[in-house]
Amino acid sequence: QKEVEQDPGPLSVPEGAIVSLNCTYSNSAFQYFMWYRQYSRKGPELLMYTYSSGNKEDGRFTAQVDKSSKYISLFIRDSQPSDSATYLCAFLYGNNRLAFGKGNQVVVIP
Amino acid sequence: KAGVTQTPRYLIKTRGQQVTLSCSPISGHRSVSWYQQTPGQGLQFLFEYFSETQRNKGNFPGRFSGRQFSNSRSEMNVSTLELGDSALYLCASSLNGNTEAFFGQGTRLTVV
């Protein structure tokens, strides 16, 4: 079983829709849970960062963590064309060491 | 506040050569990690440095090495380049390794 599973399939949504992304993980040593956004030919940009189960909101973004099910989600409300990017889930498990999902390419159609 | 700076942005090298990439972390951050990103494997951890010491190493051959200087700047070196080393190399800066990590823009290495 892979440490991190993220369905890499591209996702196309109309502008204004809710985007829902998720990852599952198997390593109980994962301490912190993050979501990064990566535009083409750029480095990953940190979107959300949390360490506990539950929801965390930041503007149009909501990160959800369920440690008991080893499942994390990212929701983007009122999606905009500028949200078109690849979204990566990431897990910190000691000394700036991150395990990443393969990433979801999201396309928001105007 | 300046972000993470990686130089150069692009590199083209020939098989068998070696290459050195540089990373300047966010001011005050002492932990620097390096990752390799390829379309097939995604982002993979190379190694992490804190206060000039390597604390963690991923599953890469010994051709991949790194170091960190007293000002927290870090370099990674790849010797005897292979075609499969073509990738985006990213460094991530963190305060102490146990907080959120911020990435640079990466160095795109092409081996021909």
Side-chain angles (χ1 to χ4, degrees):
Chain A
Q1 183 184 11
K2 289 184 181 178
E3 273 192 326
V4 180
E5 298 273 7
Q6 180 178 12
D7 183 355
L11 186 63
S12 291
V13 298
E15 184 175 351
I18 294 175
V19 175
S20 173
L21 306 168
N22 56 73
C23 289
T24 57
Y25 65 96
S26 59
N27 191 337
S28 298
F30 289 162
Q31 303 163 293
Y32 296 95
F33 311 94
M34 307 178 200
W35 285 95
Y36 286 86
R37 175 175 64 193
Q38 186 173 25
Y39 292 111
S40 181
R41 310 192 79 78
K42 301 281 190 182
E45 171 194 6
L46 181 64
L47 279 178
M48 302 288 287
Y49 167 80
T50 184
Y51 59 89
S52 58
S53 284
N55 292 351
K56 181 176 181 179
E57 263 191 46
D58 184 359
R60 296 184 296 110
F61 298 90
T62 299
Q64 191 175 77
V65 174
D66 183 342
K67 285 187 178 182
S68 61
S69 301
K70 293 190 170 67
Y71 186 93
I72 71 170
S73 300
L74 178 71
F75 301 97
I76 308 173
R77 290 184 300 281
D78 186 26
S79 57
Q80 304 295 309
S82 58
D83 295 328
S84 297
T86 296
Y87 291 81
L88 299 144
C89 59
F91 302 83
L92 180 68
Y93 61 115
N95 295 338
N96 203 3
R97 181 171 188 162
L98 293 166
F100 283 88
K102 286 293 180 71
N104 275 120
Q105 185 179 4
V106 173
V107 177
V108 180
I109 303 165
Chain B
K1 190 174 181 180
V4 181
T5 304
Q6 289 189 247
T7 56
R9 290 292 311 278
Y10 302 94
L11 267 177
I12 300 176
K13 290 287 187 179
T14 304
R15 266 184 309 175
Q17 286 187 312
Q18 74 163 14
V19 67
T20 299
L21 313 180
S22 179
C23 173
S24 292
I26 292 170
S27 178
H29 284 195
R30 295 168 64 191
S31 170
V32 174
S33 290
W34 289 88
Y35 294 83
Q36 181 194 67
Q37 186 175 29
T38 58
Q41 298 299 318
L43 274 144
Q44 292 185 285
F45 174 79
L46 280 156
F47 29 65
E48 186 258 0
Y49 285 87
F50 179 84
S51 292
E52 302 177 67
T53 300
Q54 186 183 88
R55 295 193 298 188
N56 258 318
K57 192 176 191 310
N59 295 325
F60 278 82
R63 300 185 297 108
F64 292 82
S65 63
R67 59 177 176 167
Q68 188 180 35
F69 302 95
S70 58
N71 61 358
S72 294
R73 190 177 70 86
S74 178
E75 288 181 347
M76 70 163 280
N77 184 77
V78 189
S79 61
T80 320
L81 284 165
E82 300 176 0
L83 294 179
D85 296 333
S86 295
L88 181 66
Y89 289 88
L90 293 155
C91 83
S93 160
S94 167
L95 197 62
N96 56 16
N98 288 309
T99 59
E100 58 265 55
F102 299 92
F103 282 83
Q105 297 282 46
T107 294
R108 185 162 296 281
L109 172 66
T110 303
V111 182
V112 298

